[in-house]
Coordinates of all heavy atoms in Angstrom, one line a residue:
R1 N -125.8 28.4 30.5 CA -126.7 28.5 31.7 C -127.7 27.3 31.7 O -128.0 26.8 32.8 CB -127.4 29.8 31.6 CG -128.1 30.2 33.0 CD -128.4 31.7 33.0 NE -129.3 32.1 31.9 CZ -128.9 33.0 31.0 NH1 -127.6 33.5 31.1 NH2 -129.7 33.4 30.1
V2 N -128.2 26.9 30.6 CA -129.1 25.8 30.5 C -128.3 24.5 30.9 O -128.8 23.7 31.7 CB -129.6 25.6 29.1 CG1 -130.3 24.2 28.9 CG2 -130.7 26.7 28.9
A3 N -127.1 24.3 30.4 CA -126.4 23.1 30.8 C -126.0 23.1 32.2 O -126.2 22.0 32.9 CB -125.1 23.0 29.9
F4 N -125.7 24.2 32.8 CA -125.4 24.3 34.2 C -126.7 23.9 35.0 O -126.6 23.2 36.0 CB -124.9 25.7 34.6 CG -124.6 25.9 36.1 CD1 -123.5 25.3 36.7 CD2 -125.5 26.7 36.8 CE1 -123.3 25.5 38.0 CE2 -125.3 26.9 38.2 CZ -124.2 26.3 38.8
G5 N -127.8 24.4 34.6 CA -129.0 24.1 35.4 C -129.4 22.6 35.3 O -129.9 22.1 36.3
V6 N -129.1 22.0 34.1 CA -129.4 20.6 34.0 C -128.5 19.8 34.9 O -128.9 18.9 35.7 CB -129.3 20.1 32.6 CG1 -129.3 18.6 32.5 CG2 -130.3 20.8 31.7
V7 N -127.2 20.1 35.0 CA -126.3 19.3 35.8 C -126.6 19.5 37.3 O -126.6 18.6 38.1 CB -124.8 19.7 35.5 CG1 -123.8 19.1 36.5 CG2 -124.4 19.3 34.0
R8 N -127.0 20.8 37.6 CA -127.3 21.0 39.0 C -128.6 20.2 39.4 O -128.7 19.7 40.5 CB -127.6 22.5 39.2 CG -126.3 23.4 39.2 CD -125.4 23.0 40.3 NE -126.0 23.0 41.7 CZ -125.8 22.0 42.6 NH1 -125.1 20.9 42.3 NH2 -126.4 22.1 43.7
A9 N -129.6 20.2 38.5 CA -130.8 19.5 38.8 C -130.5 18.0 39.0 O -131.1 17.3 39.9 CB -131.8 19.7 37.7
V10 N -129.6 17.4 38.2 CA -129.3 16.0 38.3 C -128.7 15.7 39.7 O -129.0 14.8 40.4 CB -128.4 15.6 37.2 CG1 -127.8 14.2 37.4 CG2 -129.1 15.6 35.9
H11 N -127.7 16.6 40.1 CA -127.0 16.3 41.3 C -127.7 16.8 42.6 O -127.6 16.2 43.7 CB -125.6 17.0 41.3 CG -124.7 16.4 40.2 ND1 -123.7 17.1 39.6 CD2 -124.7 15.1 39.7 CE1 -123.1 16.3 38.7 NE2 -123.7 15.1 38.8
A12 N -128.5 17.9 42.5 CA -129.2 18.4 43.7 C -130.6 17.9 43.9 O -131.0 17.8 45.0 CB -129.2 19.9 43.6
E13 N -131.2 17.5 42.8 CA -132.6 17.1 42.9 C -132.8 15.6 42.4 O -134.0 15.2 42.3 CB -133.5 18.0 42.0 CG -133.3 19.5 42.4 CD -134.0 20.4 41.4 OE1 -134.8 19.9 40.6 OE2 -133.7 21.6 41.4
D14 N -131.7 14.9 42.0 CA -131.9 13.6 41.5 C -132.7 13.5 40.3 O -133.5 12.6 40.1 CB -132.4 12.6 42.6 CG -132.0 11.2 42.3 OD1 -131.0 11.0 41.6 OD2 -132.7 10.3 42.9
A15 N -132.7 14.6 39.5 CA -133.5 14.6 38.3 C -132.9 13.8 37.2 O -131.7 13.4 37.2 CB -133.7 16.1 37.9
Y16 N -133.7 13.5 36.1 CA -133.3 12.8 34.9 C -132.9 13.9 33.9 O -133.8 14.7 33.5 CB -134.4 11.9 34.4 CG -134.6 10.7 35.3 CD1 -135.6 10.7 36.3 CD2 -133.9 9.5 35.1 CE1 -135.8 9.6 37.1 CE2 -134.1 8.4 35.9 CZ -135.0 8.5 36.9 OH -135.2 7.4 37.7
A17 N -131.7 13.8 33.4 CA -131.3 14.9 32.5 C -132.1 14.9 31.2 O -132.4 16.0 30.7 CB -129.8 14.6 32.1
N18 N -132.5 13.7 30.7 CA -133.3 13.7 29.4 C -134.6 14.3 29.6 O -135.3 14.6 28.6 CB -133.3 12.3 28.9 CG -134.1 11.3 29.8 OD1 -133.9 11.4 31.0 ND2 -135.0 10.5 29.3
L19 N -135.1 14.4 30.8 CA -136.4 15.0 31.0 C -136.3 16.5 31.3 O -137.2 17.3 30.9 CB -137.2 14.3 32.2 CG -137.4 12.8 32.1 CD1 -138.2 12.3 33.3 CD2 -138.3 12.6 30.8
V20 N -135.2 16.9 32.0 CA -135.0 18.3 32.4 C -134.6 19.1 31.2 O -135.0 20.2 30.9 CB -134.0 18.4 33.5 CG1 -133.7 19.9 33.8 CG2 -134.6 17.7 34.7
L21 N -133.6 18.6 30.4 CA -133.0 19.4 29.3 C -134.0 19.9 28.3 O -133.9 21.1 28.0 CB -131.9 18.5 28.7 CG -131.1 19.2 27.5 CD1 -130.4 20.4 28.0 CD2 -130.2 18.2 26.8
P22 N -134.9 19.1 27.7 CA -135.7 19.7 26.6 C -136.6 20.8 27.2 O -136.8 21.8 26.5 CB -136.6 18.5 26.2 CG -135.8 17.3 26.6 CD -135.1 17.7 27.8
A23 N -137.1 20.7 28.4 CA -137.9 21.8 28.9 C -137.1 23.1 29.1 O -137.6 24.2 28.9 CB -138.5 21.3 30.3
R24 N -135.9 22.9 29.6 CA -135.1 24.1 29.8 C -134.6 24.7 28.5 O -134.5 26.0 28.4 CB -133.8 23.8 30.7 CG -134.2 23.5 32.1 CD -132.9 23.1 32.9 NE -133.3 22.9 34.3 CZ -133.2 23.8 35.3 NH1 -132.9 25.1 35.0 NH2 -133.6 23.6 36.5
I25 N -134.4 23.9 27.5 CA -134.1 24.5 26.1 C -135.2 25.3 25.6 O -135.1 26.4 25.1 CB -133.7 23.3 25.2 CG1 -132.3 22.8 25.5 CG2 -133.7 23.8 23.7 CD1 -131.9 21.6 24.7
R26 N -136.5 24.8 25.8 CA -137.6 25.5 25.3 C -137.9 26.8 26.1 O -138.2 27.8 25.6 CB -138.9 24.6 25.3 CG -138.9 23.5 24.3 CD -140.2 22.8 24.2 NE -140.5 22.1 25.4 CZ -140.2 20.8 25.6 NH1 -139.7 20.1 24.6 NH2 -140.6 20.2 26.7
Q27 N -137.6 26.7 27.4 CA -137.8 27.8 28.3 C -136.8 28.9 27.9 O -137.2 30.1 27.9 CB -137.6 27.4 29.7 CG -137.9 28.6 30.8 CD -137.7 28.1 32.2 OE1 -137.3 27.0 32.4 NE2 -138.1 28.9 33.1
A28 N -135.6 28.6 27.6 CA -134.6 29.6 27.2 C -134.7 30.0 25.8 O -134.0 30.9 25.4 CB -133.2 29.0 27.5
R29 N -135.5 29.3 25.0 CA -135.7 29.6 23.6 C -134.4 29.6 22.8 O -134.1 30.5 22.1 CB -136.4 31.0 23.4 CG -137.8 31.1 24.1 CD -138.4 32.5 23.9 NE -139.8 32.5 24.5 CZ -140.6 33.6 24.5 NH1 -140.1 34.7 23.9 NH2 -141.8 33.5 25.0
L30 N -133.7 28.5 23.0 CA -132.4 28.4 22.3 C -132.7 28.0 20.9 O -133.6 27.2 20.6 CB -131.6 27.3 23.0 CG -131.2 27.5 24.4 CD1 -130.2 26.4 24.9 CD2 -130.5 28.9 24.6
D31 N -131.9 28.5 20.0 CA -132.0 28.1 18.6 C -131.3 26.7 18.4 O -130.8 26.2 19.4 CB -131.3 29.1 17.6 CG -129.9 29.4 17.9 OD1 -129.2 28.6 18.6 OD2 -129.4 30.5 17.5
R32 N -131.3 26.2 17.2 CA -130.8 24.9 17.0 C -129.3 24.7 17.4 O -129.0 23.7 18.0 CB -131.0 24.5 15.6 CG -130.5 23.1 15.2 CD -130.7 22.8 13.8 NE -130.1 21.5 13.4 CZ -130.1 21.0 12.2 NH1 -130.7 21.6 11.2 NH2 -129.5 19.9 11.9
R33 N -128.5 25.7 17.0 CA -127.1 25.6 17.4 C -126.8 25.7 18.8 O -126.1 24.8 19.4 CB -126.4 26.8 16.7 CG -124.9 26.8 16.9 CD -124.2 27.9 16.2 NE -122.8 28.0 16.4 CZ -122.0 29.0 15.9 NH1 -122.5 29.9 15.1 NH2 -120.7 28.9 16.2
D34 N -127.5 26.6 19.5 CA -127.3 26.7 21.0 C -127.8 25.5 21.7 O -127.3 25.0 22.7 CB -127.9 28.0 21.5 CG -127.0 29.2 21.2 OD1 -125.9 29.0 20.8 OD2 -127.5 30.3 21.3
A35 N -129.0 25.0 21.2 CA -129.6 23.8 21.8 C -128.6 22.6 21.7 O -128.5 21.8 22.6 CB -130.9 23.5 21.1
G36 N -128.0 22.4 20.5 CA -127.0 21.3 20.4 C -125.8 21.5 21.3 O -125.3 20.5 21.8
F37 N -125.4 22.8 21.4 CA -124.2 23.0 22.3 C -124.6 22.7 23.8 O -123.8 22.0 24.5 CB -123.8 24.5 22.2 CG -122.6 24.8 23.0 CD1 -121.3 24.6 22.5 CD2 -122.7 25.3 24.3 CE1 -120.2 25.0 23.3 CE2 -121.6 25.6 25.1 CZ -120.4 25.4 24.6
A38 N -125.8 23.2 24.2 CA -126.2 22.9 25.6 C -126.4 21.4 25.8 O -126.0 20.9 26.9 CB -127.5 23.6 25.9
T39 N -126.9 20.7 24.8 CA -127.0 19.2 25.0 C -125.7 18.5 25.1 O -125.6 17.7 26.0 CB -127.8 18.7 23.7 OG1 -129.1 19.3 23.6 CG2 -128.0 17.2 23.8
E40 N -124.8 18.8 24.3 CA -123.5 18.2 24.4 C -122.8 18.5 25.7 O -122.1 17.7 26.3 CB -122.6 18.5 23.2 CG -121.1 18.1 23.3 CD -120.9 16.7 23.7 OE1 -121.7 15.8 23.3 OE2 -119.9 16.3 24.3
L41 N -122.9 19.8 26.1 CA -122.2 20.3 27.3 C -122.8 19.6 28.5 O -122.0 19.1 29.4 CB -122.3 21.8 27.4 CG -121.6 22.4 28.6 CD1 -120.1 22.0 28.7 CD2 -121.7 24.0 28.6
A42 N -124.1 19.5 28.6 CA -124.7 18.9 29.8 C -124.5 17.3 29.8 O -124.0 16.8 30.8 CB -126.2 19.2 29.8
Y43 N -124.8 16.7 28.7 CA -124.7 15.2 28.6 C -123.2 14.8 28.7 O -122.9 13.8 29.3 CB -125.3 14.7 27.4 CG -126.8 14.7 27.3 CD1 -127.5 14.4 26.2 CD2 -127.5 14.8 28.5 CE1 -128.9 14.4 26.2 CE2 -128.9 14.8 28.5 CZ -129.6 14.6 27.4 OH -131.0 14.6 27.4
G44 N -122.3 15.5 28.0 CA -120.9 15.2 28.0 C -120.3 15.4 29.4 O -119.5 14.6 29.8
T45 N -120.7 16.4 30.1 CA -120.2 16.6 31.5 C -120.7 15.4 32.4 O -119.9 14.9 33.2 CB -120.7 17.9 32.0 OG1 -120.2 19.0 31.2 CG2 -120.2 18.1 33.5

């Protein structure tokens, strides 16, 4: 869900992924493993 929100923000709002992703990870309170998965999924996509 975090990765999807980041990709949507980049395409719909012209956002910067490296600025959006950390805030969404903290907001979702992802642990280290899930944060790494969300990071690779968003950036890799």
Side-chain angles (χ1 to χ4, degrees):
R1 192 160 59 245
V2 165
F4 177 73
V6 171
V7 174
R8 288 300 305 135
V10 170
H11 293 152
E13 305 168 16
D14 203 23
Y16 289 92
N18 64 317
L19 300 181
V20 175
L21 179 63
R24 289 182 177 264
I25 287 176
R26 289 192 292 268
Q27 183 179 8
R29 298 181 179 179
L30 300 184
D31 59 23
R32 177 180 174 182
R33 179 179 178 181
D34 284 345
F37 182 88
T39 300
E40 168 55 29
L41 182 54
Y43 286 167
T45 299

